[in-house]
Amino acid sequence: MTEFFAMGGYGAFVWPSYVLAAVVMIAVLAASIRAVRAREAELEAVQKLRPGRQRRRDANPEPEQT
Amino acid sequence: MTRKQRRLYFVVLGLLAVGAAAALVLTALKEDIVFFFSPTEIVEAKVPTEGRRIRLGGLVETGSVVKEGASVRFTVTDGAHAVPVIYAGILPDLFREGQGVVTEGRMDKGTFQAAEVLAKHDENYMPKEVADSLKKSGQWQGDGGKTPEAAK
Amino acid sequence: MHRFANPARFLRIAALIQPWSVAVAVLALGAGLWFSLFASPADYQQGETVRIMYIHVPSAWMGMFCYTAMAVFSAMALIWKHPLADLLARATAPVGAAFTFVCLVTGALWGKPMWGTWWVWDARLTSMLLLLFLYLGYMALADAFDDPERGQKAAAILALVGVVNVPIIKWSVDWWNTLHQPASVVKMGGPAIDAAMMVPLILMAVGFKAYWVVVLILRARAEIAGAKLRTLRMAQIHAAGQLEQPRAEQGGS
């Protein structure tokens, strides 16, 4: 086991490579997931408000169409 | 449609222009992009060497490595010509006879005084057993096409 | 091509692809790690440091692949004005930049013990560093303008100009002498890597590509939602303005 982590004396170079790749890939993935969740939740919230607006506009046909 | 076509031609022409410009610049800079000079270029004086800090690259000639106290002497060859090198310092782990090397330093009376030695490896990757069996069966083609002493 | 330009259709296709790309990424990276660290031999010259290759080389491929994809998407955006093409180019950039960064750092970690130096300014290393700067420039430019369309157009032009760097990276080791060794996998006369080392290399490369698809779809979804939000907000501001203005006009007439 110790031999495996030593990597023939090059453990100080091999392990940081793998750790760096893992950290960078997880960070990019996590940031992307956070962005999707935030934006899609926001969009849903705004869309929930919209039908109300539209009905109000329909009820009052006085203002000219866009 | 015509506007799209015009934009398509514009992008293609732009790419061609940028590509041509890059090719011209790289051709003009060819000498400067070269990372090291070969022993032939230095021996035949194709590059000015006196007093200039330059890089010399090639294979470490097999059997040429001699330790002299704190410093080490070896010969860098490209098959046609060889340049003797003297160096005092830590050699990289991959520094071996028959392997590639790039040294930085100055020419001094026919000897290259190296301030830095870097190892350059080839593009072949294989486990030790495969290398051994290739050497045994005489199919060895690594190390610049020549069989190094260590492999015989 | 235009069939995919519709965001709703893209989202439907993306939803179908996503579970598969997640599965491929997890399986390929899992198997790739197993082979990279346990089930592959040490190199006859470089010993255990050859294991850095299974991160370094697929990362380098991703850096070049993502840039090429970004340039193709940018060309489609400039020529055909696909809103989706712009969005996919923007979604690819951070992934490419991340892998280019990983490639450069793992290269240094490999260079120190083997070559004897962290970094040299040879053609291969320098052109790869330029690739990272191109990614950073693209991302900065895409966000630099208040009008997102203008920023996107400037960034797309940068992506296209910078694409000449990709073949330079690939063939730098053949055109000039460098400290970096020539190509091992994609070369004339077949790869110079033993089959036992090819397995982890290919697995990691497949895993990285699948990871790119996963992240691309996620980021594209976020961008589409963001674009919809912008349109909705604009419509709201517009509608709010119109509710007040007609009254004033009516009062006037």
Side-chain angles (χ1 to χ4, degrees), chain B residues 96-152:
Chain B
R96 314 237 162 105
E97 295 189 349
Q99 280 277 316
V101 76
V102 176
T103 66
E104 191 177 338
R106 290 169 209 280
M107 279 306 281
D108 182 34
K109 298 182 199 85
T111 302
F112 194 82
Q113 306 274 348
E116 193 179 19
V117 173
L118 303 177
K120 175 177 162 69
H121 57 83
D122 59 31
E123 67 274 32
N124 298 305
Y125 295 88
M126 64 187 92
K128 199 177 173 303
E129 303 82 64
V130 175
D132 288 343
S133 71
L134 275 179
K135 285 164 189 167
K136 224 176 266 171
S137 65
Q139 288 176 299
W140 185 248
Q141 291 187 335
D143 305 331
K146 293 189 298 282
T147 310
E149 289 301 318
K152 280 177 187 162

Side-chain angles (χ1 to χ4, degrees), chain C residues 3-25:
Chain C
R3 273 187 301 141
F4 300 105
N6 178 340
R9 194 187 297 265
F10 171 82
L11 287 176
R12 267 206 310 282
I13 296 169
L16 283 178
I17 297 174
Q18 193 64 311
W20 293 99
S21 45
V22 171
V24 171

Side-chain angles (χ1 to χ4, degrees), chain C residues 222-235:
Chain C
E223 295 271 0
I224 289 173
K228 274 187 193 156
L229 266 173
R230 261 201 307 280
T231 348
L232 278 178
R233 293 244 165 82
M234 293 282 253

Side-chain angles (χ1 to χ4, degrees), chain A residues 13, chain C residues 104-105 107-113 115-120 125:
Chain A
F13 301 100
Chain C
L104 287 167
V105 176
L109 285 167
W110 197 3
K112 185 61 189 170
W115 294 347
T117 180
W118 300 102
W119 181 265
V120 290
L125 276 65

Side-chain angles (χ1 to χ4, degrees), chain B residues 14-28:
Chain B
L15 273 179
L16 284 177
V18 172
L24 282 175
V25 169
L26 292 177
T27 318

